Amino acid sequence: MPLATYKDLCIDAVDVPTLGRFWADALALDLELHDDGDAKLTGATDRDTIWLNAVPEPVTVKQRVHLDVFARHVDDVLALGAVPEDLASFPWKVLRDPEGGELCVFEREELSERRLMEVVVDCADPDPITTWWADLLGGVRRDDEQGRFSWVEDIPDAPFESLVFVPVPEPKTVKNRIHLDLFADAPGGVDALVAAGATVLRAEDDEIGWTVLADPIGNEFCALVR
């Protein structure tokens, strides 16, 4: 039995209305602005939900977590307010969103209802952390034949194809601006996640109804008990 189930995705933003509109249009979702300064992107099902959380810190370093998206043409995403980073080196196009966060665009002539392709995580060594997340979420681990990266696919309830782990030389230095929210479904709830190797960063309290954790290599995620 998986220890957790995918709930939704969260993106930090300094300018929530601007970044929220960008991601709503890029992912074909609806934007709801909230009085508390946050925003919610909604789609056909609850699992398509993405939260925009207001933060004071701007993007200062390369994001260790970024989104890959589908589009008919990269110009469609550039027209929404992205800027080009690298349009020639890869089969995909590397852009920056209106706040400077990286994203990759995969062009397709035919688009499905869902535009979010995958969530990509930088790490020192993909091998152990890919297995950890596959076990946590009940997904299937896969490895690139050339050993360049690993990923988890067939994640129950996830509105994207895979969670990808790519090796990079630089260490994690700041809080990730993109993270997953999960339901802690296994017996023991959050304690089961901690026993599996997660670390509690902030326990549920009077202000928040969830627990903030980090995976074994420091990537933040939140867990709720239902």
Side-chain angles (χ1 to χ4, degrees):
M1 175 183 176
L3 296 181
T5 302
Y6 180 86
K7 179 183 180 292
D8 49 40
L9 191 68
C10 294
I11 301 174
D12 288 351
V14 174
D15 183 345
V16 169
T18 298
L19 196 62
R21 173 50 58 197
F22 169 81
W23 281 112
D25 292 342
L27 297 174
L29 300 174
D30 296 319
L31 173 64
E32 298 177 2
L33 296 176
H34 293 179
D35 292 340
D36 62 1
D38 292 344
K40 181 180 181 182
L41 307 186
T42 60
T45 69
D46 286 344
R47 65 180 182 165
D48 294 298
T49 298
I50 297 178
W51 291 93
L52 275 293
N53 298 325
V55 299
E57 306 88 4
V59 175
T60 56
V61 299
K62 178 178 178 288
Q63 295 186 128
R64 290 186 72 82
V65 181
H66 74 264
L67 304 184
D68 289 350
V69 304
F70 291 121
R72 284 193 175 88
H73 196 280
V74 66
D75 288 346
D76 297 337
V77 184
L78 291 171
L80 301 176
V83 296
E85 177 74 11
D86 187 341
L87 303 183
S89 299
F90 310 102
W92 55 88
K93 314 297 183 182
V94 183
L95 310 181
R96 289 183 179 270
D97 67 29
E99 291 198 348
E102 298 82 3
L103 69 142
C104 295
V105 174
F106 288 73
E107 295 175 318
R108 296 289 188 272
E109 291 185 3
E110 299 295 329
L111 295 178
S112 66
E113 181 179 343
R114 287 196 171 99
R115 307 293 172 81
L116 179 56
M117 177 184 177
E118 53 198 11
V119 179
V120 182
V121 183
D122 289 351
C123 58
D125 181 3
D127 182 54
I129 196 61
T130 305
T131 297
W132 192 85
W133 276 99
D135 292 343
L136 187 81
L137 296 174
V140 177
R141 177 194 169 134
R142 303 290 186 196
D143 298 300
D144 173 60
E145 293 181 354
Q146 300 179 25
R148 296 171 297 177
F149 54 88
S150 300
W151 70 94
V152 184
E153 61 182 32
D154 297 329
I155 299 171
D157 293 334
F160 49 83
E161 295 179 2
S162 52
L163 179 62
V164 184
F165 294 90
V166 179
V168 298
E170 62 272 10
K172 184 177 188 292
T173 58
V174 298
K175 174 181 175 289
N176 291 339
R177 298 182 75 84
I178 298 175
H179 72 265
L180 304 183
D181 285 347
L182 310 177
F183 288 118
D185 288 333
V190 172
D191 289 342
L193 303 182
V194 173
T199 301
V200 174
L201 302 179
R202 180 180 177 181
E204 181 178 349
D205 55 34
D206 293 338
E207 295 182 357
I208 60 171
W210 55 88
T211 301
V212 182
L213 301 107
D215 70 11
I217 61 172
N219 295 304
E220 300 86 0
F221 67 97
C222 294
L224 295 86
V225 177
R226 55 180 173 178

